[in-house]
Amino acid sequence: MPSAAKTTQGKLPVVVWVLAAGAFLMGTTEFVIAGLLPDMASDLDVSVSHTGLMITVFAIGMIIGGPAMALATLRLPQRHTVVGSLAVFALGHIVLAASTDFTVILIARFVTALATGAFYAVGFVIATTAAGPQRSTRAVGMIMGGLTLSNVLGVPIGSFAGQAIGWRGPFWALAALSAVAAAVIGRFLPTAEQRATVSMRAEFTALRNTRLWLALTAAVMIMGGVLAAYTYITPLLTDRAGIPAGAVPLVLIAYGAGALGGTAIGGRMGDHKPMVTTITAAAGTALALFLLIPLSTSAVATIVLFALMAMTGFTLNPIVTSLSVRFAGDASTLASSLTTSAYETGVAAGSALAGVALGSSLGLTGPALVGAVFAVLTLVPLIALAVRGTTTRPRVVAQRTHEPGTDAGARPEQSAAASAARH
């Protein structure tokens, strides 16, 4: 079978598309819980607020588990790590769907979060290497597009299916689909990988790069800004903008469409003008959120600004992720996992502070104000990155063959082609 990295000029390798499909499944499982909480709480005989721990546990698993799993699987072939993470993901969902014990379900959620963290950490590195230096950000954008699409299609479909056949149905489906994804991705990932021989010490040494931490800080801030407003958008829509509760899902679809469009824009523009694109998008996010405060009494204005916030906010994600991988050089696996942790940290911080603001004298517009402040603060690390520059030296990649009886070394031209850090 031809290498998955081979592709015609201008097109992404097939492996990037199948990794995006895996991201779609993992994004669906993270967010579908919100639509199933009442049914799950009733069936498991726990309170709705207690059932919400399933979301918290998953976020904690992503924040802590991503880097931990990246280091734990550092010496494993990337192919085995990706396929293994999908297999564990499938098993975790089987346990979740079959169990009646809430503690067991929480453990299953945590394990699936670990698998998700491992998938993203290695998946982003595989995608950028396979796509090559001229399409690395676009490849990251494709995977993040799969994650974003899960909000547009996966979560609504999962919620509807849960209402129709019971909350366990969507998790059985996710288990089956992820098992299929593991088999498909296993076919398209080449057995002979092009990657650097990196030690755990080298991975930690890469964390000394100041530009890497600037990129991670931007990831925390922009996601905190977007999710601060998103988490509590329903009361703003119904109680301030006057939008009927039945129409809220349509507004959320507009948000998802805006996020999907922003991810595509970031993927397209990030390889050519990363700092101009990110600074402009962060400023646009802040402006949309600030305008949402006085204009949210208008339904039309609220919907437009909400979709605009999603589009500009999500434009940063593929670019910041690609920059993190680039700044880490050869030791990119840990940096990639830290980027995922940064997004989850932003989700936790933004939603928590927005909740405090909602209960304060700021009221319904409090979350939008919190989001606007986060978006403005995103400009600080981005401007610092623009001043320092984003150019990096090419990294030399050695080919490691994992088929028995082979020990091939990379030729210079192979190393040059595999470098995802060169611009």
Short mmCIF file of all heavy atoms in Angstrom, two decimals, residues 204-247:
data_model
loop_
_atom_site.label_atom_id
_atom_site.label_comp_id
_atom_site.label_asym_id
_atom_site.label_seq_id
_atom_site.Cartn_x
_atom_site.Cartn_y
_atom_site.Cartn_z
N PHE A 204 11.33 17.20 27.55
CA PHE A 204 11.27 18.22 28.60
C PHE A 204 12.15 19.41 28.27
O PHE A 204 11.82 20.55 28.61
CB PHE A 204 11.67 17.62 29.95
CG PHE A 204 10.57 16.84 30.60
CD1 PHE A 204 10.60 15.45 30.65
CD2 PHE A 204 9.48 17.49 31.17
CE1 PHE A 204 9.58 14.73 31.25
CE2 PHE A 204 8.45 16.78 31.78
CZ PHE A 204 8.50 15.40 31.82
N THR A 205 13.27 19.17 27.60
CA THR A 205 14.15 20.27 27.20
C THR A 205 13.44 21.22 26.26
O THR A 205 13.63 22.44 26.30
CB THR A 205 15.42 19.72 26.54
OG1 THR A 205 16.11 18.88 27.47
CG2 THR A 205 16.36 20.87 26.11
N ALA A 206 12.57 20.68 25.40
CA ALA A 206 11.83 21.51 24.45
C ALA A 206 10.91 22.49 25.16
O ALA A 206 10.56 23.54 24.59
CB ALA A 206 11.02 20.63 23.50
N LEU A 207 10.53 22.18 26.40
CA LEU A 207 9.63 23.06 27.14
C LEU A 207 10.31 24.34 27.58
O LEU A 207 9.65 25.24 28.10
CB LEU A 207 9.06 22.32 28.36
CG LEU A 207 8.26 21.04 28.07
CD1 LEU A 207 7.68 20.50 29.36
CD2 LEU A 207 7.16 21.31 27.05
N ARG A 208 11.62 24.45 27.39
CA ARG A 208 12.32 25.69 27.72
C ARG A 208 12.09 26.78 26.68
O ARG A 208 12.45 27.94 26.91
CB ARG A 208 13.83 25.42 27.83
CG ARG A 208 14.20 24.43 28.93
CD ARG A 208 15.70 24.16 28.91
NE ARG A 208 16.08 23.15 29.90
CZ ARG A 208 17.32 22.65 30.01
NH1 ARG A 208 18.28 23.10 29.19
NH2 ARG A 208 17.58 21.74 30.92
N ASN A 209 11.49 26.42 25.58
CA ASN A 209 11.26 27.37 24.50
C ASN A 209 10.17 28.36 24.91
O ASN A 209 9.01 27.99 25.09
CB ASN A 209 10.85 26.62 23.22
CG ASN A 209 10.84 27.51 22.00
OD1 ASN A 209 10.46 28.68 22.08
ND2 ASN A 209 11.25 26.97 20.87
N THR A 210 10.55 29.62 25.06
CA THR A 210 9.60 30.65 25.50
C THR A 210 8.44 30.80 24.53
O THR A 210 7.29 31.02 24.93
CB THR A 210 10.32 32.00 25.66
OG1 THR A 210 11.42 31.84 26.57
CG2 THR A 210 9.38 33.06 26.20
N ARG A 211 8.73 30.70 23.24
CA ARG A 211 7.67 30.87 22.23
C ARG A 211 6.61 29.78 22.34
O ARG A 211 5.43 30.02 22.07
CB ARG A 211 8.27 30.91 20.83
CG ARG A 211 9.15 32.12 20.59
CD ARG A 211 9.65 32.18 19.16
NE ARG A 211 10.46 31.01 18.84
CZ ARG A 211 10.91 30.73 17.61
NH1 ARG A 211 10.60 31.53 16.60
NH2 ARG A 211 11.66 29.67 17.40
N LEU A 212 7.02 28.58 22.76
CA LEU A 212 6.05 27.50 22.97
C LEU A 212 5.05 27.90 24.05
O LEU A 212 3.84 27.74 23.88
CB LEU A 212 6.78 26.22 23.37
CG LEU A 212 5.90 25.06 23.87
CD1 LEU A 212 4.92 24.62 22.79
CD2 LEU A 212 6.77 23.89 24.33
N TRP A 213 5.52 28.47 25.14
CA TRP A 213 4.63 28.86 26.24
C TRP A 213 3.77 30.06 25.87
O TRP A 213 2.64 30.18 26.36
CB TRP A 213 5.45 29.14 27.50
CG TRP A 213 5.99 27.87 28.07
CD1 TRP A 213 7.27 27.40 27.98
CD2 TRP A 213 5.24 26.87 28.77
NE1 TRP A 213 7.37 26.18 28.59
CE2 TRP A 213 6.15 25.83 29.08
CE3 TRP A 213 3.92 26.75 29.16
CZ2 TRP A 213 5.75 24.68 29.78
CZ3 TRP A 213 3.52 25.61 29.85
CH2 TRP A 213 4.43 24.60 30.15
N LEU A 214 4.27 30.93 25.02
CA LEU A 214 3.45 32.02 24.52
C LEU A 214 2.28 31.47 23.70
O LEU A 214 1.13 31.92 23.84
CB LEU A 214 4.28 32.99 23.69
CG LEU A 214 5.29 33.85 24.45
CD1 LEU A 214 6.18 34.62 23.47
CD2 LEU A 214 4.58 34.82 25.38
N ALA A 215 2.56 30.47 22.86
CA ALA A 215 1.51 29.86 22.06
C ALA A 215 0.49 29.15 22.95
O ALA A 215 -0.73 29.24 22.73
CB ALA A 215 2.11 28.88 21.04
N LEU A 216 0.97 28.44 23.97
CA LEU A 216 0.07 27.74 24.89
C LEU A 216 -0.79 28.72 25.68
O LEU A 216 -1.98 28.48 25.91
CB LEU A 216 0.88 26.87 25.85
CG LEU A 216 1.60 25.66 25.24
CD1 LEU A 216 2.45 24.97 26.30
CD2 LEU A 216 0.62 24.69 24.61
N THR A 217 -0.20 29.85 26.08
CA THR A 217 -0.97 30.87 26.79
C THR A 217 -2.08 31.43 25.92
O THR A 217 -3.21 31.65 26.37
CB THR A 217 -0.05 32.01 27.26
OG1 THR A 217 0.98 31.48 28.10
CG2 THR A 217 -0.82 33.07 28.03
N ALA A 218 -1.77 31.65 24.64
CA ALA A 218 -2.80 32.13 23.71
C ALA A 218 -3.93 31.12 23.58
O ALA A 218 -5.11 31.49 23.50
CB ALA A 218 -2.17 32.42 22.35
N ALA A 219 -3.58 29.82 23.58
CA ALA A 219 -4.60 28.77 23.49
C ALA A 219 -5.54 28.80 24.70
O ALA A 219 -6.76 28.68 24.57
CB ALA A 219 -3.94 27.39 23.37
N VAL A 220 -4.96 28.96 25.89
CA VAL A 220 -5.78 29.03 27.11
C VAL A 220 -6.72 30.23 27.05
O VAL A 220 -7.93 30.11 27.32
CB VAL A 220 -4.87 29.14 28.36
CG1 VAL A 220 -5.73 29.42 29.60
CG2 VAL A 220 -4.07 27.87 28.56
N MET A 221 -6.18 31.38 26.68
CA MET A 221 -6.96 32.62 26.73
C MET A 221 -8.09 32.64 25.71
O MET A 221 -9.23 33.00 26.04
CB MET A 221 -6.03 33.83 26.51
CG MET A 221 -5.07 34.06 27.64
SD MET A 221 -5.95 34.35 29.20
CE MET A 221 -4.60 34.36 30.36
N ILE A 222 -7.81 32.24 24.48
CA ILE A 222 -8.85 32.35 23.46
C ILE A 222 -9.98 31.35 23.73
O ILE A 222 -11.16 31.65 23.55
CB ILE A 222 -8.29 32.17 22.03
CG1 ILE A 222 -9.32 32.61 21.00
CG2 ILE A 222 -7.85 30.73 21.77
CD1 ILE A 222 -9.72 34.07 21.09
N MET A 223 -9.62 30.14 24.19
CA MET A 223 -10.67 29.16 24.48
C MET A 223 -11.44 29.57 25.71
O MET A 223 -12.65 29.34 25.80
CB MET A 223 -10.04 27.77 24.64
CG MET A 223 -11.06 26.64 24.63
SD MET A 223 -12.19 26.66 23.21
CE MET A 223 -11.05 26.61 21.84
N GLY A 224 -10.76 30.17 26.68
CA GLY A 224 -11.47 30.67 27.86
C GLY A 224 -12.46 31.75 27.48
O GLY A 224 -13.58 31.80 28.01
N GLY A 225 -12.10 32.62 26.54
CA GLY A 225 -13.00 33.69 26.10
C GLY A 225 -14.23 33.16 25.39
O GLY A 225 -15.36 33.57 25.69
N VAL A 226 -14.02 32.24 24.47
CA VAL A 226 -15.15 31.71 23.69
C VAL A 226 -16.09 30.89 24.58
O VAL A 226 -17.31 31.04 24.54
CB VAL A 226 -14.63 30.86 22.52
CG1 VAL A 226 -15.79 30.14 21.82
CG2 VAL A 226 -13.87 31.73 21.52
N LEU A 227 -15.51 30.02 25.42
CA LEU A 227 -16.35 29.14 26.24
C LEU A 227 -17.01 29.87 27.40
O LEU A 227 -18.04 29.43 27.91
CB LEU A 227 -15.53 27.97 26.75
CG LEU A 227 -15.60 26.69 25.90
CD1 LEU A 227 -17.01 26.11 25.93
CD2 LEU A 227 -15.18 26.96 24.46
N ALA A 228 -16.45 31.00 27.83
CA ALA A 228 -17.12 31.79 28.86
C ALA A 228 -18.48 32.24 28.37
O ALA A 228 -19.49 32.16 29.10
CB ALA A 228 -16.25 32.99 29.25
N ALA A 229 -18.53 32.70 27.15
CA ALA A 229 -19.80 33.16 26.58
C ALA A 229 -20.69 31.98 26.17
O ALA A 229 -21.91 32.01 26.37
CB ALA A 229 -19.53 34.06 25.38
N TYR A 230 -20.08 30.93 25.61
CA TYR A 230 -20.86 29.80 25.10
C TYR A 230 -21.57 29.04 26.22
O TYR A 230 -22.72 28.63 26.08
CB TYR A 230 -19.94 28.85 24.34
CG TYR A 230 -20.62 27.59 23.86
CD1 TYR A 230 -21.40 27.60 22.70
CD2 TYR A 230 -20.48 26.38 24.54
CE1 TYR A 230 -22.02 26.45 22.26
CE2 TYR A 230 -21.10 25.23 24.10
CZ TYR A 230 -21.87 25.27 22.96
OH TYR A 230 -22.49 24.13 22.53
N THR A 231 -20.87 28.84 27.35
CA THR A 231 -21.42 28.02 28.42
C THR A 231 -22.76 28.55 28.92
O THR A 231 -23.69 27.78 29.23
CB THR A 231 -20.43 27.95 29.60
OG1 THR A 231 -19.18 27.41 29.12
CG2 THR A 231 -20.97 27.07 30.72
N TYR A 232 -22.90 29.86 29.00
CA TYR A 232 -24.12 30.47 29.55
C TYR A 232 -24.87 31.31 28.50
O TYR A 232 -25.50 32.30 28.83
CB TYR A 232 -23.76 31.33 30.77
CG TYR A 232 -23.16 30.52 31.89
CD1 TYR A 232 -21.80 30.50 32.10
CD2 TYR A 232 -23.98 29.74 32.71
CE1 TYR A 232 -21.24 29.75 33.12
CE2 TYR A 232 -23.43 28.97 33.72
CZ TYR A 232 -22.06 28.97 33.92
OH TYR A 232 -21.52 28.22 34.93
N ILE A 233 -24.80 30.86 27.25
CA ILE A 233 -25.45 31.62 26.19
C ILE A 233 -26.98 31.44 26.23
O ILE A 233 -27.73 32.34 25.84
CB ILE A 233 -24.89 31.23 24.80
CG1 ILE A 233 -25.34 32.23 23.75
CG2 ILE A 233 -25.32 29.81 24.43
CD1 ILE A 233 -24.82 33.63 23.95
N THR A 234 -27.46 30.28 26.71
CA THR A 234 -28.90 30.02 26.67
C THR A 234 -29.71 31.05 27.47
O THR A 234 -30.69 31.61 26.95
CB THR A 234 -29.20 28.60 27.16
OG1 THR A 234 -28.56 27.66 26.28
CG2 THR A 234 -30.70 28.34 27.16
N PRO A 235 -29.35 31.36 28.72
CA PRO A 235 -30.13 32.39 29.43
C PRO A 235 -30.03 33.76 28.77
O PRO A 235 -31.00 34.53 28.82
CB PRO A 235 -29.51 32.40 30.84
CG PRO A 235 -28.20 31.73 30.71
CD PRO A 235 -28.35 30.75 29.61
N LEU A 236 -28.92 34.07 28.13
CA LEU A 236 -28.80 35.35 27.43
C LEU A 236 -29.75 35.39 26.24
O LEU A 236 -30.42 36.40 25.98
CB LEU A 236 -27.36 35.56 26.95
CG LEU A 236 -27.08 36.89 26.25
CD1 LEU A 236 -27.07 38.03 27.26
CD2 LEU A 236 -25.74 36.84 25.50
N LEU A 237 -29.84 34.26 25.53
CA LEU A 237 -30.71 34.20 24.35
C LEU A 237 -32.19 34.28 24.73
O LEU A 237 -32.96 35.00 24.08
CB LEU A 237 -30.45 32.89 23.58
CG LEU A 237 -29.07 32.72 22.92
CD1 LEU A 237 -28.94 31.33 22.34
CD2 LEU A 237 -28.83 33.77 21.86
N THR A 238 -32.57 33.56 25.76
CA THR A 238 -34.00 33.49 26.09
C THR A 238 -34.48 34.66 26.95
O THR A 238 -35.56 35.21 26.72
CB THR A 238 -34.29 32.16 26.82
OG1 THR A 238 -33.45 32.06 27.98
CG2 THR A 238 -34.03 30.98 25.91
N ASP A 239 -33.68 35.05 27.94
CA ASP A 239 -34.14 36.06 28.91
C ASP A 239 -33.79 37.49 28.53
O ASP A 239 -34.41 38.42 29.04
CB ASP A 239 -33.55 35.75 30.30
CG ASP A 239 -33.99 34.40 30.82
OD1 ASP A 239 -34.98 33.86 30.30
OD2 ASP A 239 -33.33 33.87 31.74
N ARG A 240 -32.79 37.66 27.65
CA ARG A 240 -32.41 39.03 27.28
C ARG A 240 -32.71 39.33 25.81
O ARG A 240 -33.23 40.38 25.48
CB ARG A 240 -30.93 39.26 27.58
CG ARG A 240 -30.46 40.68 27.32
CD ARG A 240 -29.04 40.89 27.85
NE ARG A 240 -28.47 42.16 27.41
CZ ARG A 240 -28.66 43.32 28.02
NH1 ARG A 240 -29.43 43.39 29.10
NH2 ARG A 240 -28.10 44.43 27.56
N ALA A 241 -32.36 38.37 24.94
CA ALA A 241 -32.60 38.60 23.51
C ALA A 241 -34.03 38.26 23.10
O ALA A 241 -34.46 38.61 21.99
CB ALA A 241 -31.62 37.79 22.67
N GLY A 242 -34.76 37.55 23.95
CA GLY A 242 -36.16 37.23 23.65
C GLY A 242 -36.33 36.12 22.64
O GLY A 242 -37.38 36.01 22.00
N ILE A 243 -35.34 35.26 22.50
CA ILE A 243 -35.43 34.14 21.55
C ILE A 243 -36.13 32.98 22.23
O ILE A 243 -35.79 32.61 23.36
CB ILE A 243 -34.02 33.72 21.09
CG1 ILE A 243 -33.37 34.87 20.31
CG2 ILE A 243 -34.06 32.46 20.23
CD1 ILE A 243 -31.93 34.61 19.91
N PRO A 244 -37.13 32.36 21.58
CA PRO A 244 -37.84 31.23 22.20
C PRO A 244 -36.89 30.09 22.51
O PRO A 244 -35.93 29.84 21.77
CB PRO A 244 -38.86 30.83 21.12
CG PRO A 244 -39.02 32.05 20.27
CD PRO A 244 -37.69 32.73 20.26
N ALA A 245 -37.17 29.37 23.59
CA ALA A 245 -36.30 28.27 24.00
C ALA A 245 -36.19 27.21 22.90
O ALA A 245 -35.13 26.60 22.72
CB ALA A 245 -36.84 27.64 25.29
N GLY A 246 -37.29 27.01 22.17
CA GLY A 246 -37.26 26.01 21.10
C GLY A 246 -36.34 26.37 19.96
O GLY A 246 -35.94 25.50 19.18
N ALA A 247 -35.99 27.66 19.83
CA ALA A 247 -35.13 28.09 18.74
C ALA A 247 -33.66 28.12 19.14
O ALA A 247 -32.79 28.35 18.28
CB ALA A 247 -35.54 29.48 18.25
#
